[in-house]
Amino acid sequence: MSDRALTIGEVLTRSTDHLAGKGAERARLDAERLLAHALGLERIDLYMHLDRQLSPAELDAARDLVARRAQGEPLQYVLGEWGFRRLSLAVDGRALIPRPETEIVVERCLALLEGLDSPRVLDVGTGSGAIALAIADEHPGARVTGVDVSDEALSLARQNAERTGIAVELHRHDLFAGLPGEDWDLIVSNPPYVPADELDTLPADVVEWEPEIALVGDGQTDALVQDALTSLRAGGALVLEVNESAAPEVAALLAGHGYAAVAVTRDLAGAERVVEGRTPAEPAS
């Protein structure tokens, strides 16, 4: 970008070319989102004002955002916010970026909670708080608690609770110490599930920017399946997001522990992404 007064159209074109040259897969869309954010506009507004010149301050703001994205920082972190279900959440390197496949987890939770006026819900590894806040938002009356071992993630979740005005309880807890409380109607988790030897197969912007503690699986799913048996009420539900190649194994794990109504749900891309089951009608001994 030159120092002369540039129009929105010129900045959009140059930003697109720059990001494409750095390997961005959706360079035009990224450029639109970044420029709209810098100017405080919606993306459609850019095309209604293509000939509008940017002030020096606006140009500097746009340059900064585009430079960060060009260096590989995830678009969501550069923007500092991202949509999840009906919510706009703050996002940064303290927690994983909320993703569309996790919205399917929320859908399954809401379906399993249907008909319960004030269910008790535990979100294990709450991260940004996306799952906990979405359930509380879309099932009025739900009493939702989110726990995480990361103080940084919890600080982001608290920020999002304040940002959205949605009441949830948030606590620090290590799931390997067992699950807190008992008689939960539903326990949900998007635990770390990427095998350590597959970490280098993920996109660079995931490996280099998102917290590894929230990515690499090390027995978290097994612990959840085991401990939820005694933490859920009789007939309570466990809902897990899983690695797309691990769904049959996790489903078999639930069945082997005595869970009933074990089911697998595919995400929007067709991958087997969510595994669920209910505890026996009588409490496990």
Side-chain angles (χ1 to χ4, degrees):
M1 300 178 190
S2 69
D3 289 329
R4 73 173 178 83
L6 297 176
T7 65
I8 285 177
E10 290 172 325
V11 173
L12 189 56
T13 297
R14 295 185 185 197
S15 297
T16 300
D17 292 344
H18 183 60
L19 292 173
K22 295 294 184 178
E25 293 183 0
R26 295 174 294 181
R28 183 68 176 191
L29 180 58
D30 285 2
E32 291 172 353
R33 288 186 178 275
L34 293 168
L35 184 53
H37 188 74
L39 300 179
L41 301 173
E42 299 295 330
R43 283 170 51 211
I44 192 171
D45 294 331
L46 299 177
Y47 292 95
M48 297 174 65
H49 304 283
L50 288 174
D51 294 329
R52 201 203 97 183
Q53 293 184 337
L54 274 66
S55 70
E58 290 173 333
L59 187 57
D60 286 343
R63 279 174 167 163
D64 178 65
L65 296 180
V66 171
R68 289 171 59 189
R69 182 70 187 107
Q71 291 170 0
E73 186 174 354
L75 174 67
Q76 296 89 334
Y77 287 171
V78 177
L79 296 175
E81 60 186 13
W82 200 247
F84 183 80
R85 302 287 293 185
R86 306 190 308 196
L87 306 175
S88 174
L89 302 176
V91 292
D92 58 35
R94 289 175 287 178
L96 293 182
I97 297 164
R99 289 178 165 81
E101 50 264 38
T102 306
E103 296 197 19
I104 306 301
V105 174
V106 174
E107 284 187 9
R108 292 307 308 146
C109 290
L110 293 171
L112 292 165
L113 294 173
E114 189 173 353
L116 299 178
D117 292 335
S118 55
R120 298 179 66 243
V121 178
L122 178 65
D123 175 23
V124 182
T126 196
S128 66
I131 292 175
L133 291 166
I135 291 173
D137 176 52
E138 297 185 48
H139 190 110
R143 296 168 291 166
V144 183
T145 298
V147 297
D148 206 294
V149 71
S150 167
D151 289 323
E152 290 191 342
L154 282 172
S155 69
L156 180 59
R158 292 189 180 101
Q159 180 181 336
N160 278 320
E162 182 176 356
R163 174 189 177 104
T164 59
I166 297 172
V168 296
E169 291 189 23
L170 296 166
H171 305 289
R172 188 184 188 281
H173 185 83
D174 185 345
L175 74 87
F176 288 117
L179 296 177
E182 58 185 13
D183 290 331
W184 299 101
D185 292 290
L186 184 142
I187 295 175
V188 58
S189 184
N190 175 15
Y193 56 69
V194 178
D197 59 1
E198 293 182 14
L199 191 61
D200 59 0
T201 67
L202 298 179
D205 59 355
V206 174
V207 176
E208 295 174 8
W209 292 92
E210 299 194 59
E212 185 173 326
I213 189 175
L215 288 170
V216 179
D218 188 22
Q220 291 91 340
T221 297
D222 286 31
L224 282 161
V225 171
Q226 174 66 46
D227 293 343
L229 277 173
T230 53
S231 296
L232 286 163
R233 66 167 173 81
L238 175 65
V239 181
L240 300 171
E241 182 171 326
V242 301
N243 187 308
E244 62 184 82
S245 64
E249 178 183 348
V250 176
L253 181 66
L254 265 69
H257 277 78
Y259 286 84
V262 176
V264 176
T265 302
R266 295 180 182 272
D267 62 23
L268 296 177
E272 294 183 327
R273 184 65 63 188
V274 186
V275 179
E276 66 187 65
R278 288 191 178 274
T279 56
E282 295 298 325
S285 58

